[in-house]
Amino acid sequence: MFGALRKKTVLYTWVVIFSVVLLIPALTNFYILNRVKRTLRSETESKNQYVLNLIQKNCDNMLEDADRAAKQLAKNELAIRIADEPLSAAVRYDAARLSTAMEQTVGGVYLKDTFLYFPQSDLIVTKEGVWESRRFFDSHRDFGESYDAWMQKIKSYRAPYGDCAVRRLR
């Protein structure tokens, strides 16, 4: 009878000791896992915040460059000269010179389809060249609307610097 009780006690003691021996590393691993998880989360959040700040500064710089380019183009004497004149060889020549000036002014600005529109001569000047408005629209079909709707939008647009794209700056 005592042998059976002793067997249970030895078996019980062995199970308790074995469980404690296994439980200590399991709890340690659980603690380490939680610490690593918290550290990774905080590091990821700080890196994400850093990247977001860099993107914000980059976007702010791009907008400042675009603002500077718009101010320079609004004051450009060629743009002022072309604004009220009908289409002629002299206007086309000045427009080509303005296109070169735009390449230098807007060249570093990351804007797609930056252009000036002159309604008197129906010309659009981009940094790539001089276009009649219809040819420009046909070659840049990503506007998602008809030519008439697009032209109505262009003619109704008022730029922040005296609307250099539509009317004269005087």
Side-chain angles (χ1 to χ4, degrees), residues 67 70-75 79-80 83-84 116-119 155-170:
D67 191 44
K71 286 178 182 177
Q72 287 179 354
L73 289 173
K75 296 175 184 176
I80 293 170
D84 287 337
L116 297 175
Y117 173 67
F118 298 97
K155 288 180 179 179
S156 67
Y157 177 71
R158 297 289 177 248
Y161 304 108
D163 200 16
C164 60
V166 175
R167 65 183 154 87
R168 197 171 185 152
L169 289 174
R170 288 192 185 167

Side-chain angles (χ1 to χ4, degrees), residues 3-75:
L5 185 61
R6 225 179 251 168
K7 276 188 177 178
K8 285 184 180 177
T9 307
V10 170
L11 184 63
Y12 177 74
T13 306
W14 182 77
V15 167
V16 169
I17 291 172
F18 190 71
S19 298
V20 169
V21 167
L22 287 178
L23 191 62
I24 290 173
L27 290 174
T28 306
N29 285 341
F30 182 73
Y31 175 76
I32 291 172
L33 178 69
N34 281 335
R35 291 286 291 171
V36 167
K37 200 170 159 183
R38 257 188 270 140
T39 303
L40 284 174
R41 183 180 298 134
S42 68
E43 286 296 317
T44 302
E45 287 174 359
S46 68
K47 298 296 182 207
N48 286 345
Q49 187 64 40
Y50 177 74
V51 169
L52 286 174
N53 286 339
L54 283 178
I55 290 171
Q56 180 182 8
K57 287 178 184 178
N58 192 21
C59 289
D60 288 345
N61 288 339
M62 281 189 211
L63 290 173
E64 286 175 10
D65 286 347
D67 191 44
R68 177 194 49 77
K71 286 178 182 177
Q72 287 179 354
L73 289 173
K75 296 175 184 176

Side-chain angles (χ1 to χ4, degrees), residues 39-162:
T39 303
L40 284 174
R41 183 180 298 134
S42 68
E43 286 296 317
T44 302
E45 287 174 359
S46 68
K47 298 296 182 207
N48 286 345
Q49 187 64 40
Y50 177 74
V51 169
L52 286 174
N53 286 339
L54 283 178
I55 290 171
Q56 180 182 8
K57 287 178 184 178
N58 192 21
C59 289
D60 288 345
N61 288 339
M62 281 189 211
L63 290 173
E64 286 175 10
D65 286 347
D67 191 44
R68 177 194 49 77
K71 286 178 182 177
Q72 287 179 354
L73 289 173
K75 296 175 184 176
N76 189 303
E77 64 185 50
L78 292 171
I80 293 170
R81 191 176 329 149
I82 295 170
D84 287 337
E85 295 185 23
L87 186 60
S88 67
V91 167
R92 276 203 174 273
Y93 178 73
D94 285 343
R97 288 179 49 211
L98 180 60
S99 176
T100 304
M102 281 183 74
E103 176 67 39
Q104 294 166 357
T105 304
V106 186
V109 178
Y110 308 103
L111 298 175
K112 184 180 177 195
D113 292 334
T114 304
F115 63 87
L116 297 175
Y117 173 67
F118 298 97
Q120 293 291 74
S121 56
D122 194 38
L123 286 180
I124 290 181
V125 179
T126 68
K127 61 184 180 180
E128 287 85 26
V130 180
W131 307 73
E132 292 173 358
S133 63
R134 182 58 145 187
R135 286 186 55 217
F136 180 79
F137 180 82
D138 289 341
S139 65
H140 297 77
R141 284 272 181 199
D142 57 348
F143 295 114
E145 54 194 346
S146 70
Y147 172 75
D148 294 328
W150 179 73
M151 279 308 294
Q152 191 64 29
K153 187 190 309 181
I154 296 296
K155 288 180 179 179
S156 67
Y157 177 71
R158 297 289 177 248
Y161 304 108

